[in-house]
Amino acid sequence: MSVRPIYNFSAGPAVLPESVLRTAQQEMLDYNGTGFSVVEMSHRSDMFMSILYHAKQDLRQLLAIPNNYKVLFLQGGATTQFNMVAMNLAHGFKRADAVVTGNWSRLAYEQMPLLTDARIHLAAHGGEQFGYYNLPAVESWDIDKDSAFVHFVSNETVHGLQYQTMPKLADGMPPLVCDMSSEILSREINVADFGLIYAGAQKNIGPAGVTVVIIREDLLARCPKNIPAVFNYQTHIDKDGMYNTPATYPIYMSGLVFRWLQTQGGVKKIEAVNQLKAQKLYQAIDGSGGFYQNPIADGARSKMNVIFKTANADLDKKFIQEAELCGLRLLKGYKSIGGMRASIYNAMPLEGVEALIDFMADFQRRYG
Ligand SMILES: *Cc1c(COP(=O)(O)O)cnc(C)c1O
């Protein structure tokens, strides 16, 4: 369906729906008859307040966010949330639990202790010395009912792992805090199973610069008074997201993506497409007779970030170079891991995945 000559498999900032880019282009010089651009708009103007309001409402509708949850569009990226979560939610607690399953959850685990008195307990580990190839089942997490929270990453963007069934904790257990940066809006979730969800926009929502935070209201009571206001969730709630200038343009574009998702039939519909895209790509890898390999355990393979390798690094390099020439862009794996990574977020059409599969078969014919 795309009229662009390329498919962009970047892990983030990542592909956006073409129609969204076109709308943004059309509205760039004159937003809705105002005569100026959204980038030039005061964040306190009625026009921007309306953009913000509708973006929030559309996100609420798409994820069926219950009324006792607040939605914030913050700056600082998901990385800032590693610390904000600990600073705000672990205040007054002795312990918080963290699950480490790959690059991002490891970074979160390392950063969280820095600005809290609570001890961050390693509740489960994906097995770093062997690489991260599988996910510890939620039943095996060593968590304590008196912990401040349990933090995990549902989709590991770098290592290509994803919890197929969203972990859920029993009643009476601490609130679950999830970094959903690279999968939010890719499948249906039950927001009520979480205390807090956060996601940097630049994977599956919109441009870099805005971070979605969905927080259960009762947890706000934990936010301490003696931390900088800009890192306090309560500050942002009190000021309706206007404590300081929000990332206005990224919020506007995220809003366009939310509307695009609604026209696609919502999260349930896009989930089915995502399922199909991932299934086809893993089938192509598994069906290559070992020419392409994905090391992730069957029940832990990411539907968003599909990693694969050939027999050696030179051939991987050739694959990436030739794919580039065929318009299949940014397939290079993460620097510490090598190989290839195809990020196939919501905005990657099925045709893009099919083009990649065709290329893989052709490359194998030539070099296999
Ligand atoms: C990209 C990513 C991050 C880091 O996001 P920033 O916006 O760069 O801070 C954190 N967690 C996950 C799962 C990611 O994919």
Side-chain angles (χ1 to χ4, degrees):
M1 229 119 63
S2 173
V3 303
R4 285 198 281 177
I6 62 113
Y7 291 108
N8 172 7
F9 292 93
S10 169
V15 58
L16 289 177
E18 188 171 313
S19 65
V20 164
L21 295 176
R22 287 197 184 286
T23 303
Q25 181 185 41
Q26 275 158 18
E27 295 181 337
M28 188 56 173
L29 294 186
D30 178 3
Y31 175 75
N32 208 9
T34 54
F36 53 94
S37 174
V38 176
V39 251
E40 304 172 299
M41 216 172 256
S42 162
H43 58 296
R44 300 187 190 280
S45 64
D46 291 345
M47 288 155 302
F48 182 74
M49 297 291 264
S50 166
I51 290 170
L52 179 66
Y53 173 81
H54 288 290
K56 228 179 244 186
Q57 286 310 112
D58 290 344
L59 180 62
R60 282 189 169 276
Q61 186 264 332
L62 285 164
L63 286 177
I65 299 174
N67 287 333
N68 63 326
Y69 284 74
K70 300 279 191 196
V71 175
L72 290 170
F73 295 126
L74 300 181
Q75 303 210 41
T79 305
T80 301
Q81 291 309 308
F82 300 163
N83 295 111
M84 273 182 78
V85 161
M87 285 161 87
N88 283 273
L89 303 189
H91 179 67
F93 285 79
K94 287 202 172 61
R95 160 177 168 172
D97 292 321
V99 177
V100 173
T101 52
N103 183 67
W104 292 113
S105 51
R106 181 182 52 77
L107 278 171
Y109 170 67
E110 286 167 6
Q111 289 300 313
M112 279 180 171
L114 298 181
L115 290 166
T116 178
D117 292 333
R119 181 172 64 90
I120 307 298
H121 169 75
L122 182 60
H125 197 289
E128 186 161 32
Q129 61 273 48
F130 315 110
Y132 295 105
Y133 300 137
N134 208 346
L135 292 167
V138 62
E139 295 77 20
S140 72
W141 295 359
D142 174 32
I143 54 183
D144 189 282
K145 66 174 181 17
D146 294 325
S147 280
F149 58 79
V150 180
H151 179 272
F152 77 108
V153 174
S154 57
N155 182 72
E156 286 283 0
T157 324
V158 169
H159 287 85
L161 301 137
Q162 183 178 28
Y163 276 98
Q164 315 289 292
T165 306
M166 267 295 177
K168 182 183 163 143
L169 301 183
D171 287 346
M173 291 314 275
L176 205 46
V177 173
C178 185
D179 176 354
M180 285 192 201
S181 293
S182 49
E183 74 145 277
I184 191 166
L185 292 166
S186 72
R187 56 170 161 169
E188 287 193 307
I189 55 166
N190 183 19
V191 173
D193 291 340
F194 300 88
L196 188 148
I197 294 167
Y198 64 91
Q202 72 273 23
K203 289 10 186 295
N204 208 23
I205 298 180
V210 61
T211 307
V212 168
V213 175
I214 303 167
I215 180 170
R216 208 175 67 209
E217 262 169 7
D218 62 288
L219 295 176
L220 291 166
R222 296 186 186 182
C223 302
K225 300 243 180 315
N226 62 347
I227 57 174
V230 75
F231 297 134
N232 193 321
Y233 292 124
Q234 187 66 55
T235 310
H236 295 284
I237 297 290
D238 289 345
K239 303 284 183 186
D240 268 338
M242 293 284 166
Y243 169 67
N244 65 331
T245 315
T248 53
Y249 201 76
I251 290 171
Y252 154 75
M253 283 199 70
S254 300
L256 295 180
V257 172
F258 298 152
R259 258 194 276 153
W260 170 81
L261 256 179
Q262 288 170 331
T263 65
Q264 301 302 299
V267 174
K268 197 189 180 88
K269 280 280 163 58
I270 207 87
E271 178 173 0
V273 181
N274 288 334
Q275 186 94 26
L276 184 62
K277 289 187 309 197
Q279 186 192 332
K280 285 191 168 214
L281 190 46
Y282 283 116
Q283 246 165 30
I285 293 166
D286 295 342
S288 70
F291 184 78
Y292 299 109
Q293 292 185 1
N294 167 283
I296 307 300
D298 254 353
R301 288 171 151 189
S302 171
K303 294 186 175 64
M304 297 277 100
N305 310 98
V306 178
I307 64 171
F308 58 101
K309 274 183 176 170
T310 65
N312 64 70
D314 287 341
L315 201 54
D316 289 347
K317 202 169 159 195
K318 197 164 276 175
F319 181 99
I320 292 159
Q321 280 169 350
E322 292 194 13
E324 283 276 332
L325 296 175
C326 292
L328 306 167
R329 299 284 167 82
L330 302 169
L331 280 161
K332 198 169 188 288
Y334 192 76
K335 51 190 186 291
S336 62
I337 297 197
M340 282 72 77
R341 170 172 52 170
S343 296
I344 52 174
Y345 301 122
N346 285 353
M348 171 60 65
L350 179 60
E351 293 80 1
V353 173
E354 285 168 343
L356 174 59
I357 292 170
D358 287 347
F359 174 81
M360 288 167 71
D362 180 58
F363 187 84
Q364 185 175 359
R365 266 191 296 277
R366 287 182 291 114
Y367 295 100

